Amino acid sequence: MTTSSALPKQYDPSEVEPRWRRFWLENGFFHADEASPTVPYAITLPPPNVTGSLHIGHALGFTLQDILIRWKRMQGFNAMWMPGIDHASIAVHVLLEKDLQRREHKTRFDIGRDEFMRRAWAWKERSGSRISEQEKLLGFSLDWPRERFTMDDRANRAVIEAFVRLHEDGLIFRAKRMINWDPASETVVSDLEVDIAEENGSLWEIRYPIVGGASAAGAIVGGASSEAITVATTRPETLLGDTAVAVHARDERYRHLHGKLVELPLTGRQIPIVAVDVMIDGKSWPDPAFGSGAVKVTPAHDPTDYEVSQLVGLPILQVIDAQGRMCDPAPAKYVGMAVEDARKAVVADLEAAGLLGAVKDYKVPRGRSQRTGAVIEPMLMEQWWVKAAPLAEKAVAAVEQGKTKFVPEHETKTFMHWMTHIKDWCISRQLWWGHRIPAWHCACGAITVARETPAACSTCGSAAIMQDEDILDTWFSSGLWPFSTLGWPDKTRDLATFYPNNVLVTGPDILFFWVARMMMMGLHLMGKVPFRTVYLTSIITDENGAKMSKTKGNGIDPLDVVHGATVDQLVERIDIEKPPVDLDALKRTVRKNFPKGVPAMGADALRFAFAALNTTGRIRLSVDRVEKYRNFINKLWNASRFALMNLDGYDPERFEAQLSTPAGRASLGMPERWILSRLQGVVGQVDAALEAFRFNDAAGAIFHFVWDELCDWYIELAKPHLYMSAEVEQDAARNARRHVVQGVLATALETTMRLMHPFSPFVTEEIWQKLPKPPQLPGSLMITVFPRGDASWVDPAAEAEMQLLQEVAVACRMLKQTYGVSPAQSIDVELRVASPAPRAILEHHLGVIERAAKVAATLSADTAAATPAGSAKAVVGGDVEIVMPLGGLIDVAAEKSRIAKDIAKADKEIAMLDKKLGNADFLARAPEDVVAEQRGRLAEEQSRRQRLADALATLSAGGAAGGAAKGAS
RNA sequence: GGGCGAAUAGCUCAGCGGAAGAGCGUCGCCCUUACAAGGCGGUGGUCGCAGGUUCGAACCCUGCUUCGCCCACCA
C-alpha cells in the first residue's frame, strides 16, 4: 500500500463522538437567539421524568426531534429546541418512599412534609442532571442555556397563575365526587393513571334475610328457613357499607318486596329493598337478567352504586379508610383489617351464618395504580377539579379548523374521540413533591385562591387561614410547558418568537395525558394552539412485539448501544437495580436474549436505525437490526477513507471554477454526470420525506444512494481514473480527468455529509472536516447549508445510459457466475445490438461494462451471425444480446433450461400485455401514455423472446459441443 | 361493550389505481489494493378470504376471518 492511511479501517465512534460533542457545545451552536430576524422553528422536548434515565422510547422520539431541528437549522431557520425535566411527583414519591422504608423503616409521614421535601430536593440535585448528560451523549442539539425544570421558580409562577386564572374563569372548582384512591401512596389518581385489567376473582352469592319474613321473624341466624333475597358480589367486604338492596322496578319476581327491609348480615343493621329504574351509562339498571336481578348497593365504595344513591337518595356509609383498611361504621371486629383480609373474614362469617350461596370463579375487572400497582379503591372525597368540557371544545374546534394537525393523520380520530367524551379532571393529589395548591381554607368555610399568600380570609377577614395541603397533578404543570418555558405569564420576546411551536414529537401513550392538556391550556391561557403539528412516534417493542421493560429482561438500553455492554455487565446491573421480580429468572432471560451482550455501535448508528426503522405503528427493535446501520456507518466511513486516500493534488477551488462554466461541465464524463444527477435525486427525496415526517423514507433514500449507487458503482468506476502512477503523472489529459473525478467524488461525499448530518451528526462532521472543500465555509458541518435541489444537474440521459450499462454488466456477471468463471478472471464477451441508440451507448462506454463485470467486450451490429459453439447467451432489454463463448465449459442442458425459463417468463408477460392491448375498452379509456408504454413493453418482450428462442434453437442444433463442464445445478 | 389500526417473500416491513419492492434470513461463488461490519450472483409472493367499482385493483368500496392497540363502573 502506497498510502499511509491515517484513518482506521473500522470506524470508531468512541474516539470520534466525544470530540465533536465538546466542540459543538463549546461553540454554542445549539443556542437560538430569540431576537434573530430569521424565521423561527421551535420544538419543545417532552421533559423526561427526573426519576428516570433515558430509555429507548426517549431515544427514538428525541432522535426524530433532533433530525428535524438540525435539518431546519441547516436550512437557515432560527431553530430552537427547548430542553427540560419533569418533577414527576408520584414517581419521585414511590422512589423515595421505597428507599425510606428500606433504609430507615419509616414512611413519609414519620419524617414529615418539610424533611421529605428537603430530601426530595437533595435527591433531585444529585440525579437530576443525569438525563441531560445522556441527551448530550446522543448528540441532541438542545438549547442548553434554556434548560428548565417543572418546579423551578418560573414554572412555579406559571402554575400558580394558571390555577388562579382557571379558578377565576370558573374552570377549577372543588367537589366531592367518586375518585380513584391509591392506598399505597395515599393519594387520588386520575382516571388515566389507573390500569384496568381482568383478574381472577370470585362471584359470591349472599342471602340477605327479609325482615318480617314468613318464618323466624327478625332472626339473623337460621336463615335457611327465613325468606331471603340473594345478591351477587365480587366484593363481599363492601357489604359492611351497604345501605340498600336494589331491584328493578318492573322485575315481577321482587314486586312483593318493594319497600321491605332486610337484615344486613354481620352488622345488625337493617336496610331497605328499593325499586329502581334508572339509566346508568346508557343502560337500564339494574339488569334483571344478571345474577339474581337484585344488587347490593354500597354508595361509598362503588362508582355505579354512588351514582344510584344520588339518583334515588340513599345514605352513604364509608367503611374503608385512606390506608385501604376497614374503618369505623363497620362492626368493630373488622375495623383495621386490610380489604383483602376483611373479604376473607366476611366470607367465613357469612358461611358460618349459613348466608353464603354459590361461589364461582369470576373474571373481575380490577383497577390498579399505574405507578404503585396497588388496587385502586373507589372513594368519595372532596377534591379539586378542572372542568374539562369547555376547554376541550376549544381544542376540538382548533383541530377541526386545522390549526393543529396530527401525523399520522388517523391519530386525529383518537384525539377527537377522547376530547368529545372527556370527563372532568381531578387535579389535586395528597402528595408533597409538587406544586402546592394556591388556596387557603378558613374556619368560616370559605376558600381564598390567590397568587400571593393572603393575610386573611377573603370572605370573613379572619387571619386564621391554612393553605390547602394538596399539590397538583404533575400533568397540570406539563400542560403549561410549551409556554411556561418561554417565560409566561410575562410577555417575553421568547414567547413572541417561539410560540406556537412548530412541532410536538411524542409517543402515542401520552396523547391524553399531555398533548390534550397542552392543547386545552394553550388555547385557554395563550389563545393559540401550542403547536402546529403533533407527530406521534412508533412504540418500540422487542423482536416478538412485546413492550420492552426492565422486569421482562428484553429491554435495550440506548446507552449500551452507544458504548457497548457485555452480557455479564447486563446481568450485574440486575443486582444493582433489583427490579421486583425473580432475579435469577431475569438473569437467565437476559443471558438468553443477549448472549453476546450489546456491541458498541455508536450514537450515529442508533440514530440512523431509529430513522430508518420508524414506520407507523411499532418498531420491533433488536441488536441485529441496529447492527445493520452500524455497518452502514462503517461503509460510509470506508468510502470516505478511500476518497481521502485518493484526493492528493485535488484543488476544490479549481474544480468549482471548472463547473461554473458550460465547457467545464461538458468535460464531465457520463458516470460523473450520472452520480451528480442521482445526488440531486436523493437530495429531493430526503427533503420531501422530511417535510412529510417520513423519516424512514429519508433514511432509506440516503442508505440506497450511498451504498448502492455511490459505493457500488461510482467509486468502482472512478478507481481507474483515481489511481496515481508515473504514467498518469506525465499525461496531462489523464491528470485533468483525474482531477475531475476527484472533484465529483469529493463533491458527492461533501453533499452527502450535509444531507445525512441531521441523522448521524458525529460521523458526518468527522468526515466533513477531513474532506477538502472550498474555503470560506463555516467551521462546522452543523451550521452549513442543507443541500438544496438544483435541477440543472438532473440528467435523465446519463441515468438512462447508466441503467443500460448496469443491466448489461449484471447480465455478464450472471453468465460468468453461472458457468463458474471466477469473478477475478476476465473473459471475452460479444455484445450484439442492432438498434443504433443502445449501440451508441455501449460503444461509448464499453469500458464501464468491462470494469464493472470484469470482461473484455467487443461490440457488433450483426445479430444474425452464428454464435460460437458452446456460447452462453443472455438478452438485456429488447435487443442487447450478450454472447459469452465458453468453449468446453458450457453445460448445454443447464443453459437450455435457463434460457427456457427466461422464455417462459417473457411468454407470461407477452400474454398479459396481449390481453390488455387486445381489450378495446383499455385502448379507448386508458390514458395515451399508458397505452404507449404497454405497447413499448410488448415490443420489447417480443423482441427479447425472439432472441432467446433463437439462442435455444442454436443450442439444440449444436448440442454436441457440450462438454463435461462444471455447470450450474 | 365502543373506537382506531393491521393482514404483502421464511422473518420484519415499504408500496396505497397503471410492469410485485427493501433489509434480514437462506443457497452459491469470491480474503478483487475503501470496507469480510465487505463484494458478486441466485432462491423466494394467486399481496388474509369473498364479493363489488374500474379499461385496469395489493391499492378504492362492502362483508367475513384473524391479530394488535386505545377507551369503558355491569353487580
Side-chain angles (χ1 to χ4, degrees):
Chain A
M1 188 183 287
T2 51
T3 328
S4 61
S5 163
L7 301 177
K9 270 176 116 165
Q10 285 193 355
Y11 175 62
D12 178 7
S14 69
E15 189 276 322
V16 172
E17 292 179 3
R19 273 193 280 120
W20 295 116
R21 190 180 302 132
R22 208 176 314 124
F23 175 74
W24 295 327
L25 286 169
E26 280 169 4
N27 283 280
F29 291 147
F30 299 165
H31 185 57
D33 175 5
E34 64 276 12
S36 162
T38 53
V39 181
Y41 184 89
I43 299 179
T44 301
L45 182 83
N49 284 356
V50 66
T51 49
S53 59
L54 198 79
H55 63 62
I56 200 86
H58 291 133
L60 166 69
F62 297 2
T63 294
L64 301 183
Q65 287 167 66
D66 195 38
I67 289 171
L68 293 173
I69 280 285
R70 285 183 182 264
W71 169 55
K72 287 293 175 184
R73 189 185 288 121
M74 288 175 75
Q75 283 191 332
F77 287 82
N78 186 20
M80 190 283 290
W81 190 15
M82 174 70 72
I85 293 173
D86 192 282
H87 66 281
S89 85
I90 193 163
V92 167
H93 269 266
V94 169
L95 192 91
L96 290 189
E97 289 182 43
K98 206 197 290 174
D99 188 62
L100 192 62
Q101 187 58 244
R102 199 175 56 220
R103 289 176 199 271
E104 303 174 35
H105 306 287
K106 284 181 183 163
T107 69
R108 66 173 150 120
F109 301 102
D110 294 329
I111 64 171
R113 188 168 192 149
D114 290 345
E115 173 61 13
F116 184 86
M117 287 299 276
R118 199 189 59 72
R119 292 189 190 200
W121 274 110
W123 178 84
K124 189 262 165 191
E125 294 311 323
R126 272 199 313 279
S127 23
S129 62
R130 186 178 48 182
I131 288 229
S132 316
E133 292 310 312
Q134 294 171 332
E135 286 163 357
K136 285 172 187 159
L137 210 65
L138 284 170
F140 299 146
S141 59
L142 287 151
D143 195 338
W144 292 110
R146 296 183 192 273
E147 187 177 18
R148 297 286 303 276
F149 179 55
T150 51
M151 272 171 71
D152 64 27
D153 292 341
R154 297 175 71 189
N156 292 344
R157 243 186 89 212
V159 165
I160 289 171
E161 179 68 24
F163 186 96
V164 173
R165 274 201 215 175
L166 287 166
H167 184 258
E168 284 167 358
D169 297 339
L171 294 169
I172 282 183
F173 62 95
R174 222 165 132 72
K176 190 170 188 179
R177 294 185 181 178
M178 193 55 80
I179 50 81
N180 306 296
W181 185 259
D182 175 351
S185 54
E186 296 191 39
T187 181
V188 171
V189 292
S190 72
D191 293 346
L192 285 174
E193 294 164 284
V194 180
D195 288 330
I196 297 173
E198 284 207 332
E199 295 183 13
N200 290 323
S202 304
L203 186 67
W204 285 272
E205 285 190 349
I206 304 170
R207 281 190 296 276
Y208 288 4
I210 311 288
V211 175
S215 58
I220 300 172
V221 289
S225 56
S226 339
E227 189 183 357
I229 189 164
T230 299
V231 296
T233 182
T234 56
R235 296 200 54 188
E237 74 284 4
T238 60
L239 165 161
L240 304 174
D242 281 3
T243 56
V245 171
V247 295
H248 198 277
R250 288 194 304 274
D251 191 339
E252 293 304 325
R253 292 171 296 176
Y254 298 116
R255 184 169 289 280
H256 67 292
L257 294 177
H258 290 180
K260 293 218 165 165
L261 296 175
V262 298
E263 190 69 44
L264 184 63
L266 316 180
T267 61
R269 286 195 287 125
Q270 294 188 339
I271 56 173
I273 295 173
V274 292
V276 176
D277 181 6
V278 295
M279 298 299 283
I280 303 278
D281 202 28
K283 277 172 287 195
S284 172
W285 190 95
D287 177 5
F290 188 92
S292 65
V295 189
K296 63 189 274 307
V297 184
T298 322
H301 301 291
D302 181 278
T304 306
D305 293 3
Y306 173 68
E307 212 172 314
V308 172
S309 77
Q310 294 307 100
L311 291 167
V312 189
L314 293 170
I316 295 166
L317 218 57
Q318 183 182 333
V319 291
I320 300 172
D321 70 9
Q323 282 84 45
R325 297 174 189 282
M326 307 312 292
C327 63
D328 181 24
K333 171 178 180 186
Y334 306 104
V335 169
M337 281 189 187
V339 165
E340 295 285 328
D341 297 332
R343 182 173 307 156
K344 288 180 194 137
V346 165
V347 168
D349 293 345
L350 286 171
E351 184 148 38
L355 294 172
L356 196 63
V359 181
K360 58 181 177 186
D361 291 341
Y362 199 72
K363 293 274 181 206
V364 283
R366 187 164 289 161
R368 284 180 182 274
S369 161
Q370 243 163 39
R371 282 290 165 190
T372 65
V375 175
I376 290 296
E377 204 57 61
M379 298 267 231
L380 199 57
M381 283 188 173
E382 185 154 42
Q383 298 290 340
W384 290 94
W385 302 81
V386 168
K387 196 171 181 181
L391 293 168
E393 265 170 39
K394 292 186 192 174
V396 166
V399 172
E400 276 169 350
Q401 290 159 18
K403 289 177 179 163
T404 293
K405 58 183 174 53
F406 291 82
V407 180
E409 207 213 321
H410 68 83
E411 298 285 359
T412 313
K413 290 184 188 167
T414 314
F415 178 83
M416 295 296 252
H417 185 259
W418 195 73
M419 274 301 198
T420 47
H421 297 257
I422 196 165
K423 290 194 250 171
D424 288 342
W425 171 22
C426 179
I427 51 169
S428 41
R429 297 290 181 274
Q430 290 64 50
L431 301 171
W432 296 337
W433 176 246
H435 304 97
R436 191 139 174 201
I437 292 178
W440 284 261
H441 299 261
C442 175
C444 79
I447 294 172
T448 307
V449 170
R451 290 176 178 80
E452 307 286 339
T453 305
C457 172
S458 59
T459 303
C460 73
S462 160
I465 52 173
M466 296 271 291
Q467 186 171 7
D468 197 296
E469 293 289 327
D470 291 354
I471 61 162
L472 288 163
D473 181 2
T474 302
W475 297 102
F476 189 88
S477 58
S478 313
L480 315 174
W481 202 235
F483 44 96
S484 69
T485 48
L486 296 172
W488 188 87
D490 294 336
K491 285 192 167 47
T492 60
R493 183 73 192 247
D494 270 354
L495 271 176
T497 304
F498 298 119
Y499 190 94
N501 285 182
N502 295 71
V503 188
L504 173 79
V505 179
T506 191
D509 48 337
I510 54 175
L511 183 62
F512 307 141
F513 272 115
W514 193 43
V515 181
R517 271 90 183 247
M518 285 189 285
M519 285 291 284
M520 296 193 287
M521 296 293 200
L523 281 162
H524 187 75
L525 295 167
M526 288 292 297
K528 277 192 217 159
V529 293
F531 22 71
R532 303 288 180 208
T533 302
V534 177
Y535 178 78
L536 295 164
T537 63
S538 306
I539 295 274
I540 296 189
T541 70
D542 68 9
E543 291 160 276
N544 304 314
K547 208 167 179 178
M548 286 190 175
S549 96
K550 274 184 184 164
T551 52
K552 273 190 276 187
N554 64 348
I556 298 174
D557 185 326
L559 302 179
D560 287 344
V561 178
V562 174
H563 293 134
T566 64
V567 64
D568 288 331
Q569 286 171 325
L570 295 179
V571 167
E572 278 165 33
R573 212 175 288 159
I574 295 171
D575 279 326
I576 297 166
E577 291 173 356
K578 289 204 197 323
V581 286
D582 177 349
L583 295 187
D584 288 332
L586 182 58
K587 286 178 193 172
R588 281 194 298 275
T589 309
V590 166
R591 282 190 190 279
K592 196 180 101 232
N593 287 344
F594 304 97
K596 298 175 301 187
V598 180
M601 296 189 271
D604 286 330
L606 181 65
R607 293 173 53 122
F608 202 89
F610 281 140
L613 297 173
N614 184 69
T615 56
T616 52
R618 67 178 167 194
I619 301 177
R620 293 181 198 245
L621 193 71
S622 68
V623 170
D624 291 353
R625 291 191 164 199
V626 182
E627 222 161 1
K628 172 182 150 186
Y629 296 98
R630 187 267 315 254
N631 295 353
F632 174 62
I633 301 289
N634 193 53
K635 182 81 181 175
L636 182 75
W637 175 254
N638 274 294
S640 309
R641 204 173 129 247
F642 167 79
L644 291 168
M645 285 191 277
N646 290 283
L647 285 176
D648 53 292
Y650 169 60
D651 177 355
E653 277 179 285
R654 184 179 134 204
F655 182 69
E656 207 169 59
Q658 185 177 353
L659 288 198
S660 63
T661 68
R665 277 205 187 195
S667 70
L668 294 179
M670 188 278 293
E672 282 66 45
R673 284 183 284 118
W674 169 74
I675 197 68
L676 292 175
S677 181
R678 291 304 311 134
L679 182 63
Q680 282 308 308
V682 67
V683 164
Q685 282 177 56
V686 169
D687 211 55
L690 287 180
E691 284 294 350
F693 299 96
R694 313 239 352 167
F695 299 95
N696 57 329
D697 284 350
I702 293 173
F703 189 95
H704 176 250
F705 172 76
V706 169
W707 205 312
D708 301 340
E709 297 184 315
L710 186 60
C711 291
D712 287 352
W713 288 94
Y714 187 70
I715 289 182
E716 290 309 317
L717 295 179
K719 278 176 181 175
H721 303 294
L722 287 171
Y723 291 143
M724 199 40 155
S725 66
E727 218 179 310
V728 174
E729 208 159 5
Q730 282 156 22
D731 186 330
R734 287 174 70 177
N735 246 315
R737 170 93 185 132
R738 177 169 189 252
H739 193 259
V740 166
V741 171
Q742 284 179 322
V744 170
L745 181 57
T747 302
L749 276 172
E750 197 272 340
T751 309
T752 302
M753 293 312 123
R754 284 187 282 134
L755 193 63
M756 187 171 154
H757 180 260
F759 300 83
S760 296
F762 298 106
V763 68
T764 49
E765 178 84 83
E766 173 76 7
I767 293 168
W768 187 83
Q769 294 282 352
K770 289 189 156 71
L771 285 172
K773 318 172 269 296
Q776 288 134 12
L777 286 178
S780 169
L781 173 59
M782 68 162 288
I783 50 169
T784 55
V785 184
F786 196 74
R788 265 191 275 267
D790 178 349
S792 74
W793 286 106
V794 177
D795 191 334
E799 297 206 21
E801 289 179 29
M802 258 313 276
Q803 194 188 331
L804 177 68
L805 296 173
Q806 286 175 328
E807 282 173 18
V808 172
V810 167
C812 291
R813 285 173 187 159
M814 185 269 292
L815 288 177
K816 281 177 76 177
Q817 177 114 345
T818 304
Y819 293 104
V821 180
S822 156
Q825 186 194 332
S826 181
I827 189 168
D828 289 340
V829 321
E830 190 188 342
L831 307 176
R832 298 176 174 184
V833 48
S835 319
R839 197 169 68 235
I841 295 168
L842 294 174
E843 196 169 359
H844 283 114
H845 306 295
L846 262 192
V848 167
I849 291 166
E850 294 187 315
R851 165 87 202 166
K854 194 131 199 205
V855 291
T858 51
L859 187 64
S860 151
D862 184 4
T863 53
T867 53
S871 296
K873 200 181 217 181
V875 180
V876 164
D879 65 349
V880 178
E881 289 184 33
I882 297 153
V883 179
M884 189 175 285
L886 287 156
L889 278 174
I890 189 169
D891 176 336
V892 175
E895 176 71 356
K896 279 164 79 172
S897 94
R898 190 179 62 77
I899 292 179
K901 215 171 142 190
D902 277 357
I903 291 176
K905 228 186 246 174
D907 280 340
K908 215 173 135 190
E909 281 287 295
I910 290 167
M912 190 196 79
L913 291 162
D914 262 340
K915 192 180 153 201
K916 224 177 195 180
L917 290 163
N919 182 341
D921 283 333
F922 174 71
L923 298 178
R925 302 199 189 201
E928 239 167 77
D929 57 321
V930 172
V931 176
E933 194 196 322
Q934 306 285 318
R935 284 218 171 94
R937 271 181 63 206
L938 180 61
E940 188 180 307
E941 284 301 321
Q942 280 169 336
S943 157
R944 174 186 162 74
R945 192 204 182 281
Q946 185 57 47
R947 272 151 223 283
L948 288 165
D950 289 349
L952 190 59
T954 310
L955 273 175
S956 299
K966 169 190 165 221
S969 49

